[in-house]
Amino acid sequence: MALMQITDLTMRFSGIVAVERLTFDIEEGSITSLIGPNGAGKTSAFNCMTGFYKASSGEILFDGKSLIGLKPYKITRLGIVRTFQNVRLFKNLTVLENVMSGAHSVTRQSVFGALLRTPAQRREERGIRENAEYLLDYVGILNKKDELAKNLSYGDQRRAEWARALAAKPRLLLLDEPAAGLNREEKDRLIELIHKFRADFGVTVFLIDHDMDLVMKVSEKVIVINFGTKIAEGTPAQVQSDPLVVEAYLGVSEEEGGAL
């Protein structure tokens, strides 16, 4: 069953077509990747899906509800949570405070309750803190919870960002270049974590990344775009052997000896 359906998605910037009539589904419970050469339109598509860009035309449905025209915070409240290529933690807050901030979209208490520090508000805050500590332990950096985010190593900042995303209790987790800046050991751990995210939290995962080794190891379905247009879709093995994909990445045809 498709959790998200993208149909004829088109995004133009002052006459430049970044994404053109892009169509694909993200199946519930799947791990799906969107790949393509630099400038292919991946980030533009991602930004349309999360409300940072308003699509020029086409449709994006999440669980049957249109996302076109919705603000990012409203999309987050529906259960779609993203990370960013460049880590966007609150540098001068602690790691724990950063992860707790991820729960703002799923809190139930009002501003009135927060101001008066009602028993219900205190219980909710305690639950948010305990869950944040659990998630930091889950990604392996609970011992860093009281450090300022700006003092973490890059790899640990990534882990904190993943924990913060999970704190929002997503149904669909969108990972934008999650392997960027990670070493080989950290990338292997990321592959394990992505599978654990799905198994432990029931989350559907959709990612874009330039690391083909990671994409091919972690994905069940891969969508390939070039110049904003879909050129292939299928299992990792299928797209790796597709002549159009080989040509898009290497600039040569399969007959000329190209291979991913």
Side-chain angles (χ1 to χ4, degrees), residues 81 83-84 87 89 99 135-136 138-139 141 154-168 170 173-180 182 186-187 189-191 193-194 197:
V81 179
T83 64
F84 293 85
V87 176
L89 296 175
V99 178
L135 291 171
L136 285 171
Y138 185 85
V139 299
I141 56 170
Y154 186 79
D156 284 346
Q157 287 187 29
R158 283 282 183 192
R159 289 170 183 265
E161 189 176 45
W162 302 333
R164 183 174 65 179
L166 291 172
L173 178 61
L174 304 177
L175 302 175
D176 187 356
E177 300 280 358
L182 301 185
E186 289 169 334
K187 288 177 183 178
R189 176 61 176 152
L190 173 59
I191 292 171
L193 278 173
I194 289 174
F197 293 163

Side-chain angles (χ1 to χ4, degrees), residues 18-252:
V19 181
E20 185 172 15
R21 299 182 66 84
L22 180 62
T23 297
F24 64 88
D25 292 345
I26 301 173
E27 301 299 322
E28 188 161 18
S30 68
I31 300 173
T32 303
S33 294
L34 178 68
I35 66 171
N38 288 330
K42 304 182 298 297
T43 299
S44 293
F46 220 65
N47 285 336
C48 288
M49 293 163 63
T50 51
F52 288 86
Y53 292 166
K54 183 178 179 181
S56 302
S57 62
E59 184 61 276
I60 304 172
L61 297 177
F62 177 71
D63 203 17
K65 179 180 177 61
S66 177
L67 302 183
I68 299 297
L70 292 185
K71 299 293 185 183
Y73 76 91
K74 290 188 176 181
I75 290 175
T76 299
R77 286 178 179 172
L78 291 175
I80 302 171
V81 179
R82 72 172 292 179
T83 64
F84 293 85
Q85 181 176 353
N86 300 313
V87 176
R88 297 191 182 183
L89 296 175
F90 299 109
K91 303 294 185 181
N92 291 313
L93 295 182
T94 68
V95 176
L96 181 63
E97 289 168 339
N98 267 278
V99 178
M100 290 177 66
S101 75
H104 77 278
S105 63
V106 292
T107 55
R108 296 183 177 182
Q109 296 303 307
S110 65
V111 174
F112 180 77
L115 289 173
L116 293 183
R117 298 288 294 168
T118 63
Q121 191 277 335
R122 292 197 299 271
R123 283 194 300 271
E124 183 175 62
E125 183 176 344
R126 185 166 58 250
I128 290 171
R129 177 179 293 273
E130 290 172 354
N131 187 57
E133 291 179 340
Y134 165 77
L135 291 171
L136 285 171
D137 188 41
Y138 185 85
V139 299
I141 56 170
L142 179 60
N143 61 324
K144 309 286 181 66
K145 70 175 185 176
D146 294 322
E147 294 187 25
L148 294 181
K150 65 183 179 182
N151 294 332
L152 292 182
S153 68
Y154 186 79
D156 284 346
Q157 287 187 29
R158 283 282 183 192
R159 289 170 183 265
E161 189 176 45
W162 302 333
R164 183 174 65 179
L166 291 172
K169 299 182 179 179
R171 291 184 62 195
L172 176 61
L173 178 61
L174 304 177
L175 302 175
D176 187 356
E177 300 280 358
L182 301 185
N183 60 36
R184 182 68 267 167
E185 182 180 348
E186 289 169 334
K187 288 177 183 178
D188 289 341
R189 176 61 176 152
L190 173 59
I191 292 171
E192 294 176 8
L193 278 173
I194 289 174
H195 283 290
K196 280 175 64 63
F197 293 163
R198 177 176 63 177
D200 295 340
F201 300 103
V203 67
T204 301
V205 180
F206 182 74
L207 67 142
I208 58 176
D209 209 291
H210 284 97
D211 190 305
M212 289 301 99
D213 183 54
L214 178 139
V215 166
M216 297 305 167
K217 285 180 178 178
V218 79
S219 308
E220 294 157 347
K221 182 171 77 172
V222 180
I223 299 135
V224 189
I225 61 175
N226 195 24
F227 298 111
T229 303
K230 185 172 73 174
I231 60 172
E233 179 177 348
T235 65
Q238 288 170 334
V239 300
Q240 280 183 299
S241 61
D242 190 300
L244 289 177
V245 177
V246 174
E247 185 172 3
Y249 271 93
L250 300 180
V252 296

